[in-house]
Amino acid sequence: MTSLICGSLAFDSIMLFGGRFSEALLADQLHQINVSFFVPEMRREFGGCAGNIAYNLKLLNGDPLIMATIGKDGGVYLERLEALGISTRAIRTVDSTFTAQAFITTDSGNNQITAFHPGAMTMSHLNKVAEAGPVKLAIVAPDGRDGMLQHAADCVALGIPFIFDPGQGLPMFNGQELEHFIDLASYVAVNDYEAALLMERTGLTLAHITQRVNALIVTRGELGADIYVKGEHIAIPPVQAEAVADPTGCGDAFRAGILYGLTNGLDWPTTGRLASLMGAIKIAHQGGQNHAPSREEIEERFERAFGYRFS
């Protein structure tokens, strides 16, 4: 029951600046900015939507297969995935560029300045779904623009149902393209902000989108999630997190729960609750891939939260 995860692999370099950006940026000099921030604290995380989703799905004993592109510096990421037991056979190395990377500086007021280098991600269209081998379900997550278009079309041509998960890649597409994605997809997964943007660009309401797919999933952060299935609205309650350390990757953890539920025949209320739990587990840890509960621990937390086991 392999799940194909089409999306990005990236490195996140996260730096902490002890002051406030506003103290270094002069309002009357914004036309000629030349500043330097001293960042004594820094960490480098493994990230990217495909990497985060696959990591969480593996925690559930799922079978993730990543389809992504990395650069000449991506060997350490491949080694990590192989050590985790996640197949790397559908990951392409592009030797002429670097792996996608985000450089994030956060000040004492939690304001952020981010620089993102897409690198090898822009070559994701070189990967073909047909070369991945047999899969039960796919997700088209944020990636290079051409790659997302290519992989959605590939899935339809091969009869593979897929989740359209535009995420931060949504602004790359116009209304007509987004509507085309919806028509191709079996499922659509967005957060509440992305849902509003999707409706604005396509002119479709949530009801219209629901009519075109098997299910529409809208996550709402600490408020839980809503799943719309064939005219039915399923409200998914939030799970109390043990701590709130870092929201990075919570949406990816949620999507791993959705993939697991769909490939294992769980009903929608259980699938949504498992996804909600995975997001709550992740948010208690820094980075997208530093939480490591066992499958048994996940099952026990699910039972404590909802009164029954999902397996």
Side-chain angles (χ1 to χ4, degrees), residues 49-284:
C49 293
N52 293 342
I53 294 171
Y55 179 84
N56 284 278
L57 186 54
K58 191 66 178 181
L59 292 176
L60 289 166
N61 290 346
D63 184 23
L65 176 62
I66 296 172
M67 175 167 282
T69 45
I70 59 170
K72 55 190 174 183
D73 57 341
V76 65
Y77 211 145
L78 292 178
E79 292 172 2
R80 170 178 171 77
L81 294 172
E82 290 167 355
L84 292 168
I86 298 174
S87 175
T88 60
R89 61 183 171 83
I91 299 175
R92 179 186 297 268
T93 299
V94 182
D95 291 323
S96 60
T97 188
F98 292 102
T99 301
Q101 302 187 47
F103 301 90
I104 305 165
T105 303
T106 303
D107 73 1
S108 59
N110 287 322
N111 301 296
Q112 290 186 328
I113 295 176
T114 300
F116 182 73
H117 173 66
M121 193 178 79
T122 61
M123 307 299 289
S124 60
H125 59 280
L126 296 176
N127 288 327
K128 310 300 180 185
V129 174
E131 298 172 0
V135 298
K136 183 172 183 177
L137 177 67
I139 182 168
V140 176
D143 205 352
R145 171 187 161 82
D146 293 343
M148 293 180 71
L149 291 165
Q150 175 72 50
H151 299 149
D154 285 353
C155 286
V156 172
L158 294 166
I160 301 171
F162 75 92
I163 301 170
F164 176 47
D165 171 28
Q168 64 265 35
L170 195 154
M172 296 190 295
F173 303 102
N174 61 35
Q176 184 177 2
E177 291 166 331
L178 291 168
E179 191 168 354
H180 183 59
F181 272 120
I182 293 168
D183 287 336
L184 295 181
S186 299
Y187 312 94
V188 172
V190 289
N191 64 29
D192 46 4
Y193 171 79
E194 293 156 2
L197 184 57
L198 186 61
M199 289 189 289
E200 177 186 305
R201 293 208 169 182
T202 63
L204 300 173
T205 65
L206 292 182
H208 291 146
I209 297 171
T210 301
Q211 291 170 2
R212 298 190 183 197
V213 294
N214 294 338
L216 168 64
I217 302 109
V218 181
T219 61
R220 302 189 182 281
E222 69 277 8
L223 300 179
D226 294 311
I227 300 178
Y228 302 92
V229 185
K230 301 185 184 306
E232 181 183 5
H233 170 217
I234 303 170
I236 303 299
V239 176
Q240 182 66 44
E242 294 179 347
V244 178
D246 180 9
T248 304
C250 286
D252 298 327
F254 187 100
R255 281 146 183 77
I258 296 294
L259 284 170
Y260 182 88
L262 289 173
T263 54
N264 286 275
L266 304 184
D267 59 37
W268 275 111
T270 301
T271 296
R273 289 167 179 170
L274 176 60
S276 183
L277 172 64
M278 294 303 293
I281 291 172
K282 207 279 5 132
I283 202 170

Side-chain angles (χ1 to χ4, degrees), residues 14-43:
I14 302 169
M15 295 153 282
L16 301 179
F17 170 56
R20 287 181 175 268
F21 296 138
S22 58
E23 297 170 353
L25 300 174
L26 303 178
D28 62 344
Q29 297 294 316
L30 294 181
H31 63 288
Q32 52 179 13
I33 297 174
N34 185 4
V35 296
S36 176
F37 301 109
F38 178 66
V39 287
E41 295 183 50
M42 173 178 168
R43 69 180 193 273

